[in-house]
């Protein structure tokens, strides 16, 4: 999983080195890293229902942390490439842009909310925080995922192509639905999985 998670990054570097990022490399980098951030967020949210369906609880702790950290890794690359390539690390210039584009403001809020989750993913900090507080804090992932999909939706809305954000919104709704205990109980009765 660790190597698989790094592959998109390695491919991006290779494509940059051999000049295969298309006519607008900066756009490609920002878009690709945005896509990977959202995908890893969704994958992180898949772990809990899957581990419940498979009665495989060890999967939850090991995999969820790694996928969540990859979401943060790609989110950081996404933000830094926007901040660096489009605004040359000029805070005032970036804020001007963000304040006039709600889609970017939502993206920024989602990214900022990822920071405490990444910090507290460390086992020692998790222990210090206590299980209940940690769980409550990590519920922020739902808000982050909604923010990510909304950010994507608003960005592509102007181009009248909301197909992909719509797919993400449907998947996200499904992932919320399976968190409702009666739905999970029904699934456990009717869906069989083997490890
Ligand atoms: C959880 C946080 C975030 C997620 C999940 C996310 C996800 C995405 C996705 C899926 C795209 C569309 C890629 C495409 O068109 O194929 C995108 C584009 C973009 N994002 Fe984000 N993003 C996040 C945070 C941010 C932040 C913090 C910023 C900067 C403040 C930002 C700036 C942009 C920009 C400039 C684009 C390209 C827009 C365009 O094509 O005109 N994003 N993002």
């Amino acid at each position: 999983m660790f190597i698989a998670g790094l592959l998109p990054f390695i491919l991006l570097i290779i494509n940059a080195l051999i000049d295969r990022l298309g006519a607008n490399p900066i756009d490609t980098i920002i878009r690709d890293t945005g896509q990977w951030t959202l995908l890893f967020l969704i994958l992180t949210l898949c772990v809990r229902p899957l581990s419940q369906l498979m009665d495989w609880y060890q999967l939850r702790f090991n995999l969820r942390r790694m996928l969540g950290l990859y979401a943060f890794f790609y989110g950081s690359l996404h933000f830094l490439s926007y901040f660096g390539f489009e605004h040359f690390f000029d805070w005032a210039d970036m804020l001007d842009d963000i304040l006039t584009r709600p889609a970017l403001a939502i993206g920024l809020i989602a990214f900022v909310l990822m920071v405490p989750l990444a910090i507290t993913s460390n086992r020692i900090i998790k222990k210090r925080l206590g299980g209940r507080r940690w769980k409550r804090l990590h519920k922020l992932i739902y808000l982050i995922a909604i923010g990510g999909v909304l950010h994507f939706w608003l960005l592509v809305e102007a181009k009248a192509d909301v197909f992909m954000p719509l797919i993400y919104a449907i998947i996200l709704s499904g992932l919320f639905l399976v968190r409702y205990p009666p739905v999970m109980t029904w699934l456990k009765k009717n869906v069989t999985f083997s490890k």
Side-chain angles (χ1 to χ4, degrees):
M1 238 351 270
F2 178 76
I3 292 168
L6 266 184
L7 280 181
F9 177 62
I10 295 171
L11 281 177
L12 199 64
I13 299 281
I14 293 175
N15 282 329
L17 291 175
I18 59 173
D19 208 5
R20 280 276 177 90
L21 288 179
N24 193 336
I26 293 174
D27 261 17
T28 309
I29 294 173
I30 296 178
R31 286 195 183 146
D32 278 10
T33 48
Q35 291 289 354
W36 286 107
T37 309
L38 195 53
L39 191 74
F40 275 106
L41 274 172
I42 297 286
L43 288 177
T44 309
L45 283 170
C46 287
V47 175
R48 185 167 128 194
L50 272 180
S51 72
Q52 283 174 325
L53 275 177
M54 296 164 87
D55 281 327
W56 194 1
Y57 291 94
Q58 201 51 34
L59 179 81
R60 188 187 296 189
F61 299 108
N62 296 338
L63 202 59
R64 195 168 55 179
R65 182 164 169 258
M66 192 178 292
L67 291 170
L69 283 173
Y70 268 125
F72 181 65
F73 172 64
Y74 285 103
S76 306
L77 288 179
H78 182 58
F79 170 67
L80 284 175
S81 41
Y82 162 78
F83 187 27
F85 294 137
E86 288 202 0
H87 298 287
F88 308 103
F89 299 107
D90 181 339
W91 284 102
D93 193 44
M94 183 187 76
L95 278 178
D96 260 0
D97 190 22
I98 289 179
L99 290 175
T100 52
R101 293 168 72 189
L104 294 188
I106 292 170
L108 186 62
I109 293 170
F111 176 65
V112 169
L113 291 179
M114 286 172 98
V115 177
L117 302 203
I119 295 171
T120 55
S121 68
N122 179 285
R123 273 171 224 272
I124 299 164
I125 299 183
K126 183 177 174 182
K127 236 183 186 171
R128 275 205 188 161
L129 206 64
R132 264 172 66 191
R133 269 203 288 177
W134 186 89
K135 270 190 179 167
R136 217 180 305 149
L137 178 69
H138 280 251
K139 287 208 161 70
L140 278 178
I141 189 164
Y142 302 128
L143 212 61
I144 295 167
I146 294 172
V149 173
L150 196 60
H151 163 74
F152 188 12
W153 187 296
L154 294 174
L155 282 173
V156 294
E157 201 183 23
K159 300 171 201 156
D161 181 16
V162 290
F163 180 72
M164 277 315 288
L166 182 66
I167 297 289
Y168 273 119
I170 293 169
I171 295 173
L172 198 58
S173 311
L175 286 169
F176 285 156
L177 195 69
V178 294
R179 277 165 165 77
Y180 182 54
V183 176
M184 181 45 76
T185 312
W186 183 89
L187 281 174
K188 280 188 103 167
K189 264 192 204 153
N190 295 286
V191 180
T192 48
F193 261 116
S194 56
K195 286 185 201 171

